[in-house]
Amino acid sequence: MAATLPSSAAAPALLLRRHTAASLSSRCRQRWQRPAARRRDDPGAPLEIRGARWLPPPAPTGCSGASGATPTAEAAGEAPYRGSEAQGSLWMVLLATAVVVCGSFEFGTCVGYSAPAQAGIVSDIGLSNSEFGVFASVLTIGAMIGALTSGRLADVLGRKMTMRFAAVVGIFGWITIYFAKDAMMLYAGRVLLGYCTGVLSYVVPVFISEIAPKDIRGGLATSNQLFICSGCSAAYIIGALLSWRSLVVVGLVPCAVLLVGLFFIPESPRWLANIGREKAFHASLQKFRGKDYDISEEAAEIKGYIESNHRLPKARIQDLFQRKNIYAVTVGVSLMIFQQLGGINALGFYTSYIFSSAGFSGTLGTTLIGIIQIPVTLVGALLMDRSGRRALLLVSSSGTFLGCFLTGLSFYFKIYYGAYSVGMGPVPWIIMSEIFSINMKAIAGSLVTLVSWIGSFAISYSFNFLMDWNPAGTFFLFSAASLVTILFVAKLVPETKGRTLEEIQALLQASA
């Protein structure tokens, strides 16, 4: 049963939403493309934009946002943390992020496993190059299935239970590969790992975006990409030292840590509010903000937004193409397409082969790439809430254009990895987790994740054929895709830095 609000609380939220939508000028999309803080605080901006928040009135003094809730510090005569005056305690947010990015690390080990394992698997199992190509790319088949089911699972089971389920599937996948005696067992294990990564690639960034305060949401969400890169790097570097069967342990460890760690963190408060678990919602939000933090304002904002969504008809696939949703869907899907057209997964799956073809040591090449990715992604995390999403996308796509262009000339592509990791790697996943309303998030998020994995399969499967056709021309094609990405980001991608998820939805609806 959906949680309900008194009419006196819900009506002002709806009036504010309608007033905002009616009042925005035709320049709304241009304002989206400027940093949020400037747009909201600019004295020349319309009144409904300056500091606008989609809020019902604050809860009565002495309550935490729900009738019968325990008194706040304010009622006890103490000055509570409120709004932007303080951030409260972030330790639970940081702990929860540290736990769930074990799923991101798992994602990275699954993607990075094939490159260092190629020589050992081909030698021990007797696979041909084409059979190993299937082994490398079949991961994406499982990931497509995982992407299709991820949104529904996360909505029905909850974010935490969905991650537990994915971790268990991942464990079975790695065990299957470890005991594989033929190609079919290898393929089966790889498909299971693909399903695990397909689910985790959706639910991890969504969970982080739902628990993080708006001022640090971008940086925390970038930790998803940081740990994907870390997992890839661990597979590359450790794979140079261990046999392909022993390398399985690198994938098993994050699954085990994720399973255990989820017992020590709360569920997503927004998911709890969406299914009507009022007490659990307040308890979860309080834990994420700190025991002395006054959550009444944020709780009222979340509940007001969710209540307005509950009045709408149940989301259907065809709703993706309604006017109010099509802009967000276009941005989310297009960013994933451009991310894959840049060739990242082809380079990831065939790193050793590319370096060998260019006359370098394959082992040295994978190790260097593993070392480069982590610090550059960390820089992106530090800049995410300062420079904004659009700026990093523009810089990153410019860098991947240059990197692929130079790779086409010289096969020396460390520039590419550095540029990708700072923007095009993390930002599409962050924006995906931010721009969809909570009632559309399962369907739209699953679609975006599916498109990403379809693109990954198409690029990784066709890469060998493209390289046989023309190695330099292959990277010139990737470079051209990055050039189109620059134009797309400049014209259409919104800036979401510094806004709550509810504020993002209010302005997206107004600009539709």
Side-chain angles (χ1 to χ4, degrees):
M1 180 68 70
T4 59
L5 288 174
S7 59
S8 62
L14 293 176
L15 288 174
L16 176 57
R17 178 185 177 190
R18 291 169 184 167
H19 176 66
T20 302
S23 303
L24 284 174
S25 70
S26 61
R27 296 191 302 272
C28 181
R29 187 158 297 169
Q30 294 176 357
R31 288 197 297 271
W32 259 114
Q33 297 174 351
R34 296 197 298 268
R38 289 177 56 195
R39 182 171 62 252
R40 186 170 59 246
D41 301 327
D42 186 352
L47 179 61
E48 66 271 23
I49 297 296
R50 295 201 306 270
R53 301 188 70 189
W54 195 350
L55 291 172
T61 302
C63 296
S64 63
S67 176
T70 56
T72 64
E74 187 175 12
E78 302 174 10
Y81 293 130
R82 183 184 297 276
S84 61
E85 295 173 3
Q87 286 296 321
S89 173
L90 291 176
W91 76 270
M92 182 56 75
V93 172
L94 298 177
L95 174 63
T97 301
V99 168
V100 300
V101 293
C102 290
S104 308
F105 192 92
E106 171 66 11
F107 182 163
T109 60
C110 292
V111 171
Y113 176 80
S114 61
Q118 180 173 1
I121 290 178
V122 169
S123 173
D124 294 351
I125 306 297
L127 299 186
S128 65
N129 285 335
S130 60
E131 287 175 324
F132 184 83
V134 173
F135 172 76
S137 59
V138 78
L139 177 82
T140 58
I141 301 295
M144 291 179 207
I145 302 172
L148 281 172
T149 60
S150 59
R152 183 63 176 166
L153 285 174
D155 274 2
V156 173
L157 301 179
R159 298 357 182 183
K160 286 176 57 179
M161 185 59 69
T162 300
M163 285 186 274
R164 286 193 186 103
F165 173 67
V168 171
V169 173
I171 289 173
F172 278 106
W174 285 117
I175 291 175
T176 302
I177 289 177
Y178 182 83
F179 289 104
K181 301 295 183 183
D182 54 32
M184 292 309 297
M185 282 191 71
L186 285 173
Y187 297 162
R190 192 73 167 161
V191 169
L192 289 175
L193 292 181
Y195 184 86
C196 167
T197 57
V199 172
L200 291 174
S201 63
Y202 167 79
V203 72
V204 170
V206 166
F207 180 84
I208 294 173
S209 72
E210 290 181 345
I211 68 170
K214 65 178 182 180
D215 295 333
I216 61 171
R217 188 178 64 241
L220 289 179
T222 305
S223 64
N224 175 54
Q225 181 67 24
L226 175 63
F227 276 80
I228 291 174
C229 292
S230 299
C232 282
S233 299
Y236 289 160
I237 296 170
I238 299 175
L241 306 174
L242 300 179
S243 70
W244 65 273
R245 292 190 192 273
S246 299
L247 189 58
V248 164
V249 176
V250 178
L252 285 172
V253 170
C255 288
V257 175
L258 179 62
L259 277 175
V260 174
L262 287 170
F263 287 103
F264 298 96
I265 63 174
E267 179 58 271
S268 162
R270 283 179 169 85
W271 179 76
L272 292 169
N274 192 47
I275 64 170
R277 294 176 58 182
E278 189 79 8
K279 290 184 179 179
F281 159 60
H282 281 275
S284 173
L285 187 59
Q286 193 73 69
K287 286 181 180 179
F288 281 122
R289 297 297 178 261
K291 65 178 181 179
D292 296 323
Y293 189 87
D294 182 6
I295 63 170
S296 59
E297 182 179 321
E298 185 176 3
E301 179 180 8
I302 293 171
K303 291 196 298 181
Y305 166 69
I306 288 175
E307 177 65 18
S308 67
N309 273 290
H310 282 168
R311 293 192 179 95
L312 300 174
K314 186 177 180 180
R316 303 165 300 173
I317 294 178
Q318 53 265 42
D319 292 339
L320 293 171
F321 307 101
Q322 291 181 354
R323 182 179 177 184
K324 65 180 180 180
N325 296 320
I326 193 65
Y327 176 49
V329 171
T330 300
V331 170
V333 169
S334 298
L335 283 178
M336 290 302 181
I337 291 174
F338 288 129
Q339 183 190 60
Q340 295 304 324
L341 288 178
I344 182 60
N345 280 306
L347 273 65
F349 289 146
Y350 298 102
T351 300
S352 179
Y353 166 69
I354 295 170
F355 268 99
S356 298
S357 299
F360 293 90
S361 165
T363 301
L364 176 61
T366 55
T367 303
L368 288 175
I369 294 303
I371 294 172
I372 288 169
Q373 288 185 100
I374 297 177
V376 176
T377 306
L378 183 59
V379 170
L382 296 175
L383 293 176
M384 192 64 64
D385 288 308
R386 292 176 173 83
S387 301
R389 281 58 155 169
R390 279 171 45 82
L392 288 179
L393 281 174
L394 289 170
V395 170
S396 177
S397 52
S398 299
T400 56
F401 162 73
L402 176 63
C404 279
F405 187 81
L406 294 178
T407 302
L409 297 175
S410 66
F411 275 23
Y412 193 70
F413 63 99
K414 292 190 285 296
I415 290 177
Y416 175 91
Y417 268 96
Y420 175 86
S421 297
V422 79
M424 283 305 296
V427 177
W429 294 105
I430 294 173
I431 290 181
M432 180 274 291
S433 70
E434 294 175 329
I435 61 176
F436 298 120
S437 62
I438 197 163
N439 65 314
M440 293 299 300
K441 188 170 286 187
I443 296 176
S446 293
L447 172 64
V448 170
T449 307
L450 175 63
V451 167
S452 174
W453 285 108
I454 290 175
S456 175
F457 173 77
I459 296 298
S460 60
Y461 183 76
S462 63
F463 183 73
N464 275 336
F465 301 103
L466 290 171
M467 289 290 285
D468 289 340
W469 162 67
N470 190 323
T474 299
F475 288 95
F476 289 141
L477 289 176
F478 293 157
S479 178
S482 296
L483 184 60
V484 177
T485 305
I486 298 172
L487 301 176
F488 177 82
V489 172
K491 296 294 292 184
L492 285 177
V493 175
E495 179 56 75
T496 58
K497 180 188 72 171
R499 293 190 180 278
T500 66
L501 299 182
E502 290 69 36
E503 288 172 339
I504 292 169
Q505 287 307 308
L507 288 182
L508 274 175
Q509 295 300 321
S511 64

